[in-house]
Amino acid sequence: MVNSNAASYGKNARVLVHGGAGAISRKRLTAASEKRCKEKLKQALSAGAKVVDQGGSALDAVVAVIKVMEDSPLFNAGRGSCLTRKGRVEMDASIMDGSNLDAGAVTGITCVKNPIEAARAVMELSPHLLLMGTGANSFCRKVASQAGLKIVDPEYFVTARSLRGLARFLEKEKLARQAGLTISGLTTGASQSEGASPDFCHDDLEFLNECKYGTVGAVALDLDGNLAAATSTGGITGKSAGRVGDSPIIGAGTYANNDTCAVSCTGHGEHFIRAVVGHEISAMIEYAAFDVRTAAEKVVFENLARTDGSGGLIALDAKGNYSMPFNTAGMFRGVATGDGRFEVAIF
Ligand code: ASP
């Protein structure tokens, strides 16, 4: 859809990125780690901003952002994804085009280098919206050359850090069991049950996997006034095989609608699904005339809080207003705007 006011969108164009929310400890995040993460966020933002600046679509922009993040082992998506209890990678991703409400998603895939491209392929080349597991892998292999998907061995995604993260998780779980405690829902790092919450954070980049954050997401508004959203994740460390979080669920972890907003979430997926976060924000804007910031903050600080859901999100409306709230200690995030703003932050 080409908006008739396209020319007026130049300055409003925006690209937002997140690289996960969680109990990131200021004290334990070394300057070197912080720098590496921020540089990767900037690189991802630049990739998306370049697409938009050259008149490309919001959809292409969010894919460009996510691919940079998926290719980096620093974040929990693509290479560097969290591992299941059995040490496997099962990745989830979704994408939504706000101009026509088209969407695509995959869950539990193991063989596509950039899961976000697999989600887009489902949207564009299949009659379906969400494909899972072996069926999703087969579909991706079938359309690989047409969709430009790179098929890789599952080992490509596994890193020494993700293996150490799983080993530590299983060890801590064992200790917690012996002490009669539970690790709260295999959480994304924040709000773990009192006493059962081992010290997950480390003073190097291991915290990204061991604390189980690092899901990546992007939202964009292009020069034609169209919105798009995308999210990609390895899920949570130590998850059971087949566990699906909010990231591939349209309306929960990802949502985009030109009439309201584009949203990508990160956090404890089970809570984000229950709060239907992406669509809830859209509905507040559509039916209750909330602005995007008020709606996003209400969902993060009130709705999610009702069930102790921890995490954050990035949200952007079709006028370029945006919000990046989180109820955790930190969230890797950044924004690039058509009028020259280019910022990344963690805390
Ligand atoms: N939301 C993701 C999931 O639950 C994890 C995260 O964002 O850290 O799978």
Side-chain angles (χ1 to χ4, degrees), residues 188 212-213 215 233 235-236 243 245-247 266-269:
T188 54
K212 300 171 282 298
Y213 22 73
T215 288
T233 189
I236 52 179
R243 179 265 183 187
D246 61 311
S247 306
T266 172
H268 194 164

Side-chain angles (χ1 to χ4, degrees), residues 18 20-21 76 82 92 187-188 211-216 231-236 239 243-248 253 265-270 272 310-312:
H18 74 72
N76 171 21
C82 286
D92 306 332
T187 76
T188 54
C211 295
K212 300 171 282 298
Y213 22 73
T215 288
V216 308
T231 312
S232 180
T233 189
I236 52 179
K239 67 184 182 181
R243 179 265 183 187
V244 179
D246 61 311
S247 306
C265 302
T266 172
H268 194 164
E270 282 73 3
F272 280 70
S310 64

Side-chain angles (χ1 to χ4, degrees), residues 17-20 24 29-45 68-69 72-76 161 204-209 213-214 331-334 344-347:
V17 63
H18 74 72
I24 307 158
L29 180 61
T30 63
S33 297
E34 184 169 341
K35 190 161 171 259
R36 284 173 68 189
C37 292
K38 284 185 168 171
E39 269 164 14
K40 195 49 73 177
L41 288 169
K42 285 183 191 162
Q43 194 187 328
L45 272 180
V68 171
M69 301 291 276
S72 166
L74 292 177
F75 297 94
N76 171 21
R161 262 199 308 275
D204 64 17
L205 289 174
E206 289 189 10
F207 74 89
L208 282 168
N209 284 308
Y213 22 73
M331 179 169 82
F332 298 91
R333 63 195 186 281
V344 297
I346 302 175
F347 300 105

